Amino acid sequence: MTKAGVIGWPIAHSRSPMIHGFWLRQFGIDGSYERIPVEPGAADAFFEGLPRSGLAGVNVTLPHKETAARHVRRLDPVAADLGAANTLWIEDGELAGTNTDVHGFLANLDEGLPGWDAPAGLALVIGAGGAARAVVRGLLDRGFDVALANRTVARAEAVAAAAPGRVRPVGLDALDRLAGEARVIVNTTSAGLHGEGDLPLDFDRIGSESIITDIVYVPLETPVLARARARGLRTVDGLGMLLHQAVPGFEKWFGVRPEVTPELRELVVADLS
Ligand code: ATR
């Protein structure tokens, strides 16, 4: 039996077991995918022992993605650039890894709004946490220039340093000015979710051809998406990023490339609500 899992802390609310369990059943594979709680202090030892653990590999979630990247001997260029790995497997006895958040972000938009990236122009990314790094990388790969707006400008500057010239770090006071220029707007913050601290963004300034997406998927319709829809703008919710980022790992461990189907989405949506 092939075994895989997801490590994080806390890990109880991870939907990854539901996603991989769906595919294991669908293909009738003799395999398992479990939650593996690993406290921050135990992460180094976990990754050290992983090649001899009997696991085919793991997904890595908060707060271990950076630690994982440091332990992987065969780190692919995407994960090396981001300094974070979320999908690990064993290759000739050595730990190998990548970061599939970039793939997940792009595949979600490709599926939700085919042709969303043509012509590339300016993209506005709001927020500068770990997930924003993957979003920025994906947008650069598709030819966009990126304005990166964050409440704490120093964090935006740190992310921008990875791609000098093509990522412009700004504060949230620049949102209204940039909203009219950007073809694609991505929210990566939790602003407004708990009824406070809404983004200082006037949605009336956004061009009618612009696309709005959010990487937050709880709730599925975030305040940003709700306001964009009320304006009649095209939107894509964040759940597809979670579903699509799981695809490459499943293929590595279990040998079949799975698909993100409406049935899988429904299963996860039902669990979220
Ligand atoms: P992750 O790494 O998962 O993306 P994170 O590091 O907690 O998450 O980052 C959350 C992002 O949301 C940050 O960009 C944060 O801004 P700061 O860097 O200034 O903290 C942003 N954020 C959270 N709440 C916000 C709010 N009320 N208004 C504006 N930005 C907010």
Side-chain angles (χ1 to χ4, degrees):
M1 171 156 113
T2 307
K3 292 191 208 167
V6 55
I7 94 149
W9 188 266
I11 197 65
H13 298 294
S14 170
R15 267 86 187 189
S16 292
M18 175 175 275
I19 297 167
H20 290 277
F22 174 88
W23 287 327
L24 286 170
R25 287 192 302 280
Q26 184 183 40
F27 293 112
I29 292 172
D30 181 24
S32 70
Y33 184 101
E34 308 291 340
R35 290 187 178 84
I36 308 170
V38 176
E39 287 182 60
D44 286 316
F46 176 86
F47 293 122
E48 280 301 311
L50 187 52
R52 294 168 304 283
S53 66
L55 290 164
V58 290
N59 281 130
V60 184
T61 187
L62 300 179
H64 299 316
K65 293 185 189 187
E66 287 82 9
T67 310
R70 284 198 297 276
H71 281 274
V72 171
R73 287 282 192 81
R74 302 181 181 194
L75 196 61
D76 83 347
V78 182
D81 267 13
L82 296 175
N86 75 339
T87 303
L88 311 185
W89 64 98
I90 321 297
E91 228 171 64
D92 305 326
E94 285 189 342
L95 204 52
T98 184
N99 190 311
T100 65
D101 287 334
V102 179
H103 164 78
F105 171 71
L106 293 174
N108 185 36
L109 287 174
D110 288 341
E111 184 193 325
L113 288 172
W116 67 275
D117 55 349
L122 181 71
L124 170 60
V125 177
I126 310 170
R133 286 177 188 263
V135 167
V136 168
R137 168 72 198 233
L139 290 166
L140 293 175
D141 286 353
R142 293 292 176 94
F144 286 88
D145 288 319
V146 176
L148 180 59
N150 200 43
R151 184 173 57 184
T152 311
V153 180
R155 287 187 87 192
E157 286 167 349
V159 175
R166 291 184 60 199
V167 184
R168 188 172 10 138
V170 295
L172 296 182
D173 54 344
L175 283 182
D176 277 347
R177 181 168 48 78
L178 292 166
E181 289 177 43
R183 280 204 56 247
V184 175
I185 300 177
V186 186
N187 178 51
T188 74
T189 75
S190 51
L193 277 187
H194 313 292
E196 55 190 60
D198 215 354
L199 290 175
L201 170 59
D202 178 358
F203 279 63
D204 288 334
R205 291 184 184 242
I206 301 173
S208 56
E209 294 303 307
S210 297
I211 290 164
I212 319 293
T213 185
D214 205 317
I215 67 163
V216 175
Y217 56 87
V218 183
L220 212 46
E221 177 157 273
T222 62
V224 166
L225 293 180
R227 288 169 71 187
R229 277 180 199 153
R231 242 309 312 273
L233 300 170
R234 291 175 297 163
T235 63
V236 178
D237 69 50
L239 182 55
M241 179 171 172
L242 174 76
L243 303 177
H244 282 284
Q245 65 77 32
V247 169
F250 189 93
E251 183 178 21
K252 280 279 179 206
W253 310 317
F254 301 112
V256 191
R257 190 164 182 92
E259 275 181 40
V260 173
T261 56
E263 292 74 24
L264 174 61
R265 188 181 154 90
E266 285 313 310
L267 184 74
V268 181
V269 168
D271 185 62
L272 293 176
S273 54

PDB file of all heavy atoms in Angstrom, residues 66-91:
ATOM      1  N   GLU A  66       8.852  26.554   4.488  1.00  0.00           N
ATOM      2  CA  GLU A  66      10.240  27.038   4.352  1.00  0.00           C
ATOM      3  C   GLU A  66      11.221  26.005   4.904  1.00  0.00           C
ATOM      4  O   GLU A  66      12.282  25.763   4.309  1.00  0.00           O
ATOM      5  CB  GLU A  66      10.430  28.382   5.067  1.00  0.00           C
ATOM      6  CG  GLU A  66       9.799  29.573   4.360  1.00  0.00           C
ATOM      7  CD  GLU A  66       8.308  29.721   4.652  1.00  0.00           C
ATOM      8  OE1 GLU A  66       7.794  28.990   5.535  1.00  0.00           O
ATOM      9  OE2 GLU A  66       7.647  30.548   3.990  1.00  0.00           O
ATOM     10  N   THR A  67      10.875  25.414   6.038  1.00  0.00           N
ATOM     11  CA  THR A  67      11.742  24.375   6.620  1.00  0.00           C
ATOM     12  C   THR A  67      11.878  23.217   5.632  1.00  0.00           C
ATOM     13  O   THR A  67      12.974  22.678   5.435  1.00  0.00           O
ATOM     14  CB  THR A  67      11.135  23.847   7.942  1.00  0.00           C
ATOM     15  OG1 THR A  67      10.819  24.972   8.758  1.00  0.00           O
ATOM     16  CG2 THR A  67      12.105  22.942   8.680  1.00  0.00           C
ATOM     17  N   ALA A  68      10.782  22.841   4.997  1.00  0.00           N
ATOM     18  CA  ALA A  68      10.823  21.748   4.021  1.00  0.00           C
ATOM     19  C   ALA A  68      11.813  22.069   2.905  1.00  0.00           C
ATOM     20  O   ALA A  68      12.642  21.235   2.536  1.00  0.00           O
ATOM     21  CB  ALA A  68       9.425  21.511   3.443  1.00  0.00           C
ATOM     22  N   ALA A  69      11.744  23.300   2.397  1.00  0.00           N
ATOM     23  CA  ALA A  69      12.626  23.679   1.289  1.00  0.00           C
ATOM     24  C   ALA A  69      14.099  23.537   1.678  1.00  0.00           C
ATOM     25  O   ALA A  69      14.940  23.154   0.861  1.00  0.00           O
ATOM     26  CB  ALA A  69      12.325  25.108   0.833  1.00  0.00           C
ATOM     27  N   ARG A  70      14.408  23.816   2.940  1.00  0.00           N
ATOM     28  CA  ARG A  70      15.803  23.711   3.394  1.00  0.00           C
ATOM     29  C   ARG A  70      16.286  22.266   3.451  1.00  0.00           C
ATOM     30  O   ARG A  70      17.472  21.999   3.343  1.00  0.00           O
ATOM     31  CB  ARG A  70      15.957  24.364   4.781  1.00  0.00           C
ATOM     32  CG  ARG A  70      15.967  25.892   4.735  1.00  0.00           C
ATOM     33  CD  ARG A  70      16.558  26.468   6.017  1.00  0.00           C
ATOM     34  NE  ARG A  70      15.768  26.145   7.199  1.00  0.00           N
ATOM     35  CZ  ARG A  70      14.707  26.824   7.605  1.00  0.00           C
ATOM     36  NH1 ARG A  70      14.309  27.876   6.926  1.00  0.00           N
ATOM     37  NH2 ARG A  70      14.053  26.456   8.689  1.00  0.00           N
ATOM     38  N   HIS A  71      15.360  21.331   3.643  1.00  0.00           N
ATOM     39  CA  HIS A  71      15.758  19.934   3.786  1.00  0.00           C
ATOM     40  C   HIS A  71      15.784  19.176   2.465  1.00  0.00           C
ATOM     41  O   HIS A  71      16.373  18.096   2.386  1.00  0.00           O
ATOM     42  CB  HIS A  71      14.809  19.207   4.740  1.00  0.00           C
ATOM     43  CG  HIS A  71      15.108  19.495   6.184  1.00  0.00           C
ATOM     44  ND1 HIS A  71      16.047  18.782   6.900  1.00  0.00           N
ATOM     45  CD2 HIS A  71      14.620  20.435   7.032  1.00  0.00           C
ATOM     46  CE1 HIS A  71      16.105  19.269   8.135  1.00  0.00           C
ATOM     47  NE2 HIS A  71      15.257  20.270   8.233  1.00  0.00           N
ATOM     48  N   VAL A  72      15.126  19.685   1.444  1.00  0.00           N
ATOM     49  CA  VAL A  72      15.007  18.953   0.187  1.00  0.00           C
ATOM     50  C   VAL A  72      16.330  19.008  -0.571  1.00  0.00           C
ATOM     51  O   VAL A  72      16.867  20.089  -0.822  1.00  0.00           O
ATOM     52  CB  VAL A  72      13.859  19.535  -0.671  1.00  0.00           C
ATOM     53  CG1 VAL A  72      13.886  18.929  -2.059  1.00  0.00           C
ATOM     54  CG2 VAL A  72      12.513  19.283  -0.002  1.00  0.00           C
ATOM     55  N   ARG A  73      16.855  17.830  -0.938  1.00  0.00           N
ATOM     56  CA  ARG A  73      18.109  17.772  -1.694  1.00  0.00           C
ATOM     57  C   ARG A  73      17.884  18.144  -3.161  1.00  0.00           C
ATOM     58  O   ARG A  73      18.708  18.776  -3.802  1.00  0.00           O
ATOM     59  CB  ARG A  73      18.671  16.346  -1.646  1.00  0.00           C
ATOM     60  CG  ARG A  73      19.264  15.953  -0.316  1.00  0.00           C
ATOM     61  CD  ARG A  73      20.668  16.564  -0.169  1.00  0.00           C
ATOM     62  NE  ARG A  73      21.369  15.985   0.964  1.00  0.00           N
ATOM     63  CZ  ARG A  73      21.993  14.811   0.918  1.00  0.00           C
ATOM     64  NH1 ARG A  73      22.015  14.106  -0.203  1.00  0.00           N
ATOM     65  NH2 ARG A  73      22.603  14.346   1.975  1.00  0.00           N
ATOM     66  N   ARG A  74      16.752  17.680  -3.689  1.00  0.00           N
ATOM     67  CA  ARG A  74      16.445  17.947  -5.102  1.00  0.00           C
ATOM     68  C   ARG A  74      15.247  18.890  -5.174  1.00  0.00           C
ATOM     69  O   ARG A  74      14.115  18.473  -5.343  1.00  0.00           O
ATOM     70  CB  ARG A  74      16.123  16.636  -5.814  1.00  0.00           C
ATOM     71  CG  ARG A  74      17.252  15.635  -5.722  1.00  0.00           C
ATOM     72  CD  ARG A  74      16.912  14.367  -6.440  1.00  0.00           C
ATOM     73  NE  ARG A  74      18.019  13.412  -6.316  1.00  0.00           N
ATOM     74  CZ  ARG A  74      18.128  12.321  -7.049  1.00  0.00           C
ATOM     75  NH1 ARG A  74      17.209  12.029  -7.957  1.00  0.00           N
ATOM     76  NH2 ARG A  74      19.153  11.503  -6.879  1.00  0.00           N
ATOM     77  N   LEU A  75      15.555  20.165  -5.011  1.00  0.00           N
ATOM     78  CA  LEU A  75      14.518  21.187  -4.996  1.00  0.00           C
ATOM     79  C   LEU A  75      14.370  21.746  -6.408  1.00  0.00           C
ATOM     80  O   LEU A  75      15.364  22.128  -7.021  1.00  0.00           O
ATOM     81  CB  LEU A  75      14.950  22.299  -4.033  1.00  0.00           C
ATOM     82  CG  LEU A  75      13.908  23.288  -3.539  1.00  0.00           C
ATOM     83  CD1 LEU A  75      12.805  22.588  -2.758  1.00  0.00           C
ATOM     84  CD2 LEU A  75      14.578  24.336  -2.650  1.00  0.00           C
ATOM     85  N   ASP A  76      13.151  21.774  -6.956  1.00  0.00           N
ATOM     86  CA  ASP A  76      13.011  22.280  -8.323  1.00  0.00           C
ATOM     87  C   ASP A  76      13.081  23.811  -8.320  1.00  0.00           C
ATOM     88  O   ASP A  76      13.007  24.446  -7.251  1.00  0.00           O
ATOM     89  CB  ASP A  76      11.763  21.710  -9.005  1.00  0.00           C
ATOM     90  CG  ASP A  76      10.497  22.477  -8.652  1.00  0.00           C
ATOM     91  OD1 ASP A  76      10.517  23.285  -7.709  1.00  0.00           O
ATOM     92  OD2 ASP A  76       9.491  22.252  -9.334  1.00  0.00           O
ATOM     93  N   PRO A  77      13.284  24.425  -9.499  1.00  0.00           N
ATOM     94  CA  PRO A  77      13.534  25.878  -9.542  1.00  0.00           C
ATOM     95  C   PRO A  77      12.399  26.716  -8.965  1.00  0.00           C
ATOM     96  O   PRO A  77      12.650  27.770  -8.376  1.00  0.00           O
ATOM     97  CB  PRO A  77      13.700  26.157 -11.043  1.00  0.00           C
ATOM     98  CG  PRO A  77      14.107  24.860 -11.650  1.00  0.00           C
ATOM     99  CD  PRO A  77      13.437  23.795 -10.830  1.00  0.00           C
ATOM    100  N   VAL A  78      11.153  26.278  -9.122  1.00  0.00           N
ATOM    101  CA  VAL A  78      10.034  27.067  -8.600  1.00  0.00           C
ATOM    102  C   VAL A  78      10.121  27.151  -7.078  1.00  0.00           C
ATOM    103  O   VAL A  78      10.042  28.228  -6.486  1.00  0.00           O
ATOM    104  CB  VAL A  78       8.674  26.431  -8.986  1.00  0.00           C
ATOM    105  CG1 VAL A  78       7.526  27.291  -8.484  1.00  0.00           C
ATOM    106  CG2 VAL A  78       8.580  26.234 -10.481  1.00  0.00           C
ATOM    107  N   ALA A  79      10.304  26.010  -6.434  1.00  0.00           N
ATOM    108  CA  ALA A  79      10.388  25.985  -4.972  1.00  0.00           C
ATOM    109  C   ALA A  79      11.639  26.715  -4.491  1.00  0.00           C
ATOM    110  O   ALA A  79      11.619  27.393  -3.461  1.00  0.00           O
ATOM    111  CB  ALA A  79      10.383  24.545  -4.473  1.00  0.00           C
ATOM    112  N   ALA A  80      12.733  26.591  -5.246  1.00  0.00           N
ATOM    113  CA  ALA A  80      13.966  27.277  -4.860  1.00  0.00           C
ATOM    114  C   ALA A  80      13.762  28.791  -4.898  1.00  0.00           C
ATOM    115  O   ALA A  80      14.166  29.507  -3.984  1.00  0.00           O
ATOM    116  CB  ALA A  80      15.106  26.856  -5.782  1.00  0.00           C
ATOM    117  N   ASP A  81      13.095  29.278  -5.948  1.00  0.00           N
ATOM    118  CA  ASP A  81      12.809  30.713  -6.069  1.00  0.00           C
ATOM    119  C   ASP A  81      11.940  31.209  -4.922  1.00  0.00           C
ATOM    120  O   ASP A  81      12.153  32.300  -4.400  1.00  0.00           O
ATOM    121  CB  ASP A  81      12.045  30.975  -7.364  1.00  0.00           C
ATOM    122  CG  ASP A  81      12.974  31.324  -8.493  1.00  0.00           C
ATOM    123  OD1 ASP A  81      14.186  31.109  -8.328  1.00  0.00           O
ATOM    124  OD2 ASP A  81      12.489  31.816  -9.536  1.00  0.00           O
ATOM    125  N   LEU A  82      10.942  30.417  -4.558  1.00  0.00           N
ATOM    126  CA  LEU A  82       9.999  30.835  -3.521  1.00  0.00           C
ATOM    127  C   LEU A  82      10.570  30.611  -2.125  1.00  0.00           C
ATOM    128  O   LEU A  82      10.062  31.153  -1.150  1.00  0.00           O
ATOM    129  CB  LEU A  82       8.684  30.067  -3.653  1.00  0.00           C
ATOM    130  CG  LEU A  82       7.887  30.309  -4.942  1.00  0.00           C
ATOM    131  CD1 LEU A  82       6.675  29.398  -5.000  1.00  0.00           C
ATOM    132  CD2 LEU A  82       7.446  31.766  -5.037  1.00  0.00           C
ATOM    133  N   GLY A  83      11.585  29.751  -2.034  1.00  0.00           N
ATOM    134  CA  GLY A  83      12.123  29.409  -0.715  1.00  0.00           C
ATOM    135  C   GLY A  83      11.125  28.629   0.109  1.00  0.00           C
ATOM    136  O   GLY A  83      11.168  28.626   1.348  1.00  0.00           O
ATOM    137  N   ALA A  84      10.214  27.933  -0.551  1.00  0.00           N
ATOM    138  CA  ALA A  84       9.151  27.195   0.148  1.00  0.00           C
ATOM    139  C   ALA A  84       8.731  26.009  -0.711  1.00  0.00           C
ATOM    140  O   ALA A  84       8.564  26.152  -1.921  1.00  0.00           O
ATOM    141  CB  ALA A  84       7.951  28.106   0.397  1.00  0.00           C
ATOM    142  N   ALA A  85       8.577  24.842  -0.065  1.00  0.00           N
ATOM    143  CA  ALA A  85       8.139  23.639  -0.783  1.00  0.00           C
ATOM    144  C   ALA A  85       6.861  23.116  -0.140  1.00  0.00           C
ATOM    145  O   ALA A  85       6.732  23.112   1.081  1.00  0.00           O
ATOM    146  CB  ALA A  85       9.226  22.567  -0.722  1.00  0.00           C
ATOM    147  N   ASN A  86       5.906  22.701  -0.970  1.00  0.00           N
ATOM    148  CA  ASN A  86       4.651  22.165  -0.405  1.00  0.00           C
ATOM    149  C   ASN A  86       4.361  20.736  -0.854  1.00  0.00           C
ATOM    150  O   ASN A  86       3.360  20.158  -0.448  1.00  0.00           O
ATOM    151  CB  ASN A  86       3.464  23.076  -0.738  1.00  0.00           C
ATOM    152  CG  ASN A  86       3.023  22.940  -2.183  1.00  0.00           C
ATOM    153  OD1 ASN A  86       3.782  22.488  -3.035  1.00  0.00           O
ATOM    154  ND2 ASN A  86       1.797  23.317  -2.466  1.00  0.00           N
ATOM    155  N   THR A  87       5.233  20.176  -1.711  1.00  0.00           N
ATOM    156  CA  THR A  87       5.007  18.821  -2.214  1.00  0.00           C
ATOM    157  C   THR A  87       6.353  18.098  -2.272  1.00  0.00           C
ATOM    158  O   THR A  87       7.257  18.533  -2.988  1.00  0.00           O
ATOM    159  CB  THR A  87       4.373  18.870  -3.627  1.00  0.00           C
ATOM    160  OG1 THR A  87       3.162  19.633  -3.556  1.00  0.00           O
ATOM    161  CG2 THR A  87       4.059  17.472  -4.139  1.00  0.00           C
ATOM    162  N   LEU A  88       6.480  17.022  -1.489  1.00  0.00           N
ATOM    163  CA  LEU A  88       7.754  16.299  -1.382  1.00  0.00           C
ATOM    164  C   LEU A  88       7.570  14.842  -1.779  1.00  0.00           C
ATOM    165  O   LEU A  88       6.518  14.257  -1.538  1.00  0.00           O
ATOM    166  CB  LEU A  88       8.284  16.340   0.059  1.00  0.00           C
ATOM    167  CG  LEU A  88       8.330  17.681   0.791  1.00  0.00           C
ATOM    168  CD1 LEU A  88       9.005  17.488   2.158  1.00  0.00           C
ATOM    169  CD2 LEU A  88       9.071  18.742  -0.011  1.00  0.00           C
ATOM    170  N   TRP A  89       8.581  14.261  -2.369  1.00  0.00           N
ATOM    171  CA  TRP A  89       8.575  12.845  -2.693  1.00  0.00           C
ATOM    172  C   TRP A  89      10.011  12.322  -2.609  1.00  0.00           C
ATOM    173  O   TRP A  89      10.939  13.118  -2.404  1.00  0.00           O
ATOM    174  CB  TRP A  89       7.957  12.592  -4.079  1.00  0.00           C
ATOM    175  CG  TRP A  89       8.722  13.193  -5.220  1.00  0.00           C
ATOM    176  CD1 TRP A  89       9.614  12.577  -6.035  1.00  0.00           C
ATOM    177  CD2 TRP A  89       8.643  14.565  -5.690  1.00  0.00           C
ATOM    178  NE1 TRP A  89      10.112  13.471  -6.973  1.00  0.00           N
ATOM    179  CE2 TRP A  89       9.534  14.673  -6.782  1.00  0.00           C
ATOM    180  CE3 TRP A  89       7.923  15.699  -5.283  1.00  0.00           C
ATOM    181  CZ2 TRP A  89       9.718  15.881  -7.469  1.00  0.00           C
ATOM    182  CZ3 TRP A  89       8.103  16.894  -5.968  1.00  0.00           C
ATOM    183  CH2 TRP A  89       8.997  16.979  -7.047  1.00  0.00           C
ATOM    184  N   ILE A  90      10.180  11.007  -2.728  1.00  0.00           N
ATOM    185  CA  ILE A  90      11.505  10.412  -2.579  1.00  0.00           C
ATOM    186  C   ILE A  90      11.998   9.971  -3.959  1.00  0.00           C
ATOM    187  O   ILE A  90      11.279   9.298  -4.686  1.00  0.00           O
ATOM    188  CB  ILE A  90      11.472   9.157  -1.659  1.00  0.00           C
ATOM    189  CG1 ILE A  90      10.519   9.358  -0.465  1.00  0.00           C
ATOM    190  CG2 ILE A  90      12.882   8.761  -1.212  1.00  0.00           C
ATOM    191  CD1 ILE A  90      10.898  10.454   0.489  1.00  0.00           C
ATOM    192  N   GLU A  91      13.225  10.367  -4.283  1.00  0.00           N
ATOM    193  CA  GLU A  91      13.805  10.040  -5.583  1.00  0.00           C
ATOM    194  C   GLU A  91      15.174   9.424  -5.330  1.00  0.00           C
ATOM    195  O   GLU A  91      16.045  10.098  -4.764  1.00  0.00           O
ATOM    196  CB  GLU A  91      13.981  11.350  -6.386  1.00  0.00           C
ATOM    197  CG  GLU A  91      13.461  11.316  -7.811  1.00  0.00           C
ATOM    198  CD  GLU A  91      13.503  12.722  -8.412  1.00  0.00           C
ATOM    199  OE1 GLU A  91      14.621  13.267  -8.555  1.00  0.00           O
ATOM    200  OE2 GLU A  91      12.448  13.279  -8.701  1.00  0.00           O
TER     201      GLU A  91
END
